[in-house]
Each structure stands twice: as C-alpha cells, then as structure tokens.
Amino acid sequence: MLDFEGRRYLVTGVLNEDSIAWHTAAALQEAGADVLLTGFGRSRRITEAAAASLPSPPEVLELDVTRPEDFTALAGELEKRWDSLDGVLHAVAAAPQSAISGNFLTADAESAAFAFHTSAYSLHALATSLAPLLGKGSGSVVGLDFDSSAAWPGYDWMGVSKAALGAVCRYLALYLGPSGIRVNLVAAGPVETVAGRGISTFDRIADRWEAEAPLGWDRADVARLTGPVLFLLSGLSATVTGEIVHADGGMHAVHMGNPRAVPPAAGSTQEAQR
C-alpha cells in the first residue's frame, strides 16, 4: 500500500459511499493522510453523512463550484488549517436534464454552458485558487473523467464538457508545471454512482463495457478505481502531468463499433456529481 503518512488532501464530490471520491478519501486516510471534504447547499448534509462513515470522519467545507467567492473562501479556510496542500481530487460534474439523455440537438446555450462551467471550468477554478498551497508541496491535482474520444448517445453535452475537461487539464499542466504542480485525469469506465445513474443510457453503455472491455468490467466495483487516483496523487507520479489515465478495462483501446447500438432513452436525473 502507498504511504501517505502526514500528507494533506482535499477531496471534492463525495455524495455517498458509492462514489469514487468517497473510496478515494477512505483509501487516503487508511494510508495515513489527512483529508478534508467539500460539499454545498442542502446536499452538504448528505456529504457530511457520508463523511461520518469514513475511517476518520473529516470536516466538510463549503464549495459550490458555480460561485467564484466559494473558491476564495475555501483557499482561506485551508490556509488556516494547513501551511501546504499535497493534492486535491476534482470529482464534480453536473448538467441539467435538458443537456443530456438524448437532448443534445435541442439543448440551449444556457444548459450547455452550465454543464461546461460545472464539469470543466471548475477544474481550472479549483486548481488556480489552491495553487499557492499546492505549489508549496509540489502538489497534485487529479480530476475524474469519462472517455470523450467517441460520442456516447445520452451523454451529450456532458460528453462535450468532458472533452473540454481534457483540454483544461493540459493547459493547467502547462501553466502550473513551473510551480511544481501536476494536473492529470483518470478516465474511469461506467460505474454505479450518482453520476452514472444521471445518464439515461447508463445501463446500455455499461452492458457494452462489460461485454467488450479487454480486461472485463464490473460496474459495481467502484473501489478498484482508487488505485490510479492514488498513484497520481502520490510521489510515484512525480514526472507525470497533462495525462489522462484510462481506468476502464482497456475499452478505450478497442474499436467500439456503431454507437447507435446504445440508443438514447428517457431519463429523469437533473444533476449528477461523481
């Protein structure tokens, strides 16, 4: 197991014990790290309930990624507690129903912009606001991604936003690298999280993944995805930045055939957070 003794991390996006973010926070604590979480608004109480089930229940700080003032306040709160930050996990993504689940052609600019702001621009806002703390410890920024090399029916403007997330990652790596800060993404396969259930075609996509991924796939095995995240948060990835690590059973490497095999279906979830 990696040793994170005495290291300090911020984990965003914890909603319940099924999330990649929750499993990452648990693994960091088990390896000796100090961890703080973020939540916002009424859903913060849900995050606090999930935090209570971690090995050492951490404090949950306020962060609504659509509010610039929250990033300033968050940086100030962290600086009061820690003189440096070793890493941060960006695990936030959201889109209105009008931008996903087969609504790509009819989505308005406001819906598309909300998906981009929440799912892609927020990585920029998080990394730049915490850069002074991250730069003191050669910190690592890791974001959660999904394969955007193909158009997945039903993923729609969230897919566009994830493609933008990859570009944001590369530019952050370029400009934050001189400060010793690494920025990378983990492109996970489909897993049964709040984010996954927010896409109406999730089951069809996951079925295909489980049938075609070279290493196989288990949509219920969320905990396995923490390995690549921990690697990128650790000193073992000291020379890695601007990278997208695919933790998807190898699905990105094989021809996936006709995407029409995954038809859109009706959905009801308005927002999702990994």
Side-chain angles (χ1 to χ4, degrees), residues 13-274:
V14 171
L15 276 184
N16 55 40
E17 297 177 30
D18 295 330
S19 67
I20 299 171
W22 186 92
H23 284 281
T24 298
L28 284 170
Q29 288 188 338
E30 290 167 357
D34 293 325
V35 174
L36 288 171
L37 307 183
T38 69
F40 72 98
R42 287 179 294 179
S43 67
R44 182 172 170 177
R45 286 177 292 180
I46 301 174
T47 301
E48 289 170 343
S53 62
L54 286 168
S56 178
E59 188 174 353
V60 179
L61 305 179
E62 182 74 17
L63 177 63
D64 179 343
V65 299
T66 66
R67 292 168 52 88
E69 59 270 28
D70 278 16
F71 289 101
T72 302
L74 175 66
E77 286 296 321
L78 288 173
E79 191 170 16
K80 290 177 184 178
R81 291 164 170 77
W82 298 333
D83 57 2
S84 65
L85 185 63
D86 292 292
V88 57
L89 176 66
H90 176 277
V92 180
Q97 178 64 28
S98 56
I100 58 174
S101 299
N103 294 314
F104 180 82
L105 296 178
T106 57
D108 57 26
E110 183 178 359
S111 297
F114 181 86
F116 169 79
H117 189 173
T118 306
S119 308
Y121 182 79
S122 60
L123 178 65
H124 169 277
L126 185 65
T128 55
S129 65
L130 300 183
L133 286 171
L134 288 163
K136 294 179 181 179
S138 299
S140 173
V141 178
V142 179
L144 297 183
D145 195 9
F146 185 75
D147 179 56
S148 59
S149 63
W152 291 98
Y155 209 47
D156 300 340
W157 284 98
M158 182 63 79
V160 174
S161 298
K162 289 297 187 180
L165 182 70
V168 172
C169 169
R170 291 187 289 274
Y171 276 97
L172 286 172
L174 171 66
Y175 289 110
L176 293 180
S179 298
I181 301 170
R182 311 186 306 281
V183 186
N184 297 285
L185 301 177
V186 173
V191 286
E192 291 182 346
T193 63
V194 172
R197 291 189 291 271
I199 304 300
S200 64
T201 53
F202 172 80
D203 284 334
R204 292 176 174 86
I205 293 172
D207 287 345
R208 190 158 188 183
W209 227 275
E210 290 175 343
E212 298 183 21
L215 290 177
W217 190 251
D218 181 357
R219 72 188 76 184
D221 193 357
V222 180
R224 286 186 64 193
L225 295 171
T226 61
V229 175
L230 293 180
F231 163 70
L232 291 173
L233 288 173
S234 77
L236 292 177
S237 62
T239 60
V240 181
T241 195
E243 186 62 79
I244 299 178
V245 175
H246 289 83
D248 64 353
M251 188 67 166
H252 72 284
V254 300
H255 179 62
M256 294 175 284
N258 180 6
R260 284 184 175 272
V262 188
S268 59
T269 300
Q270 188 171 22
E271 292 188 5
Q273 189 165 357
R274 292 196 84 121

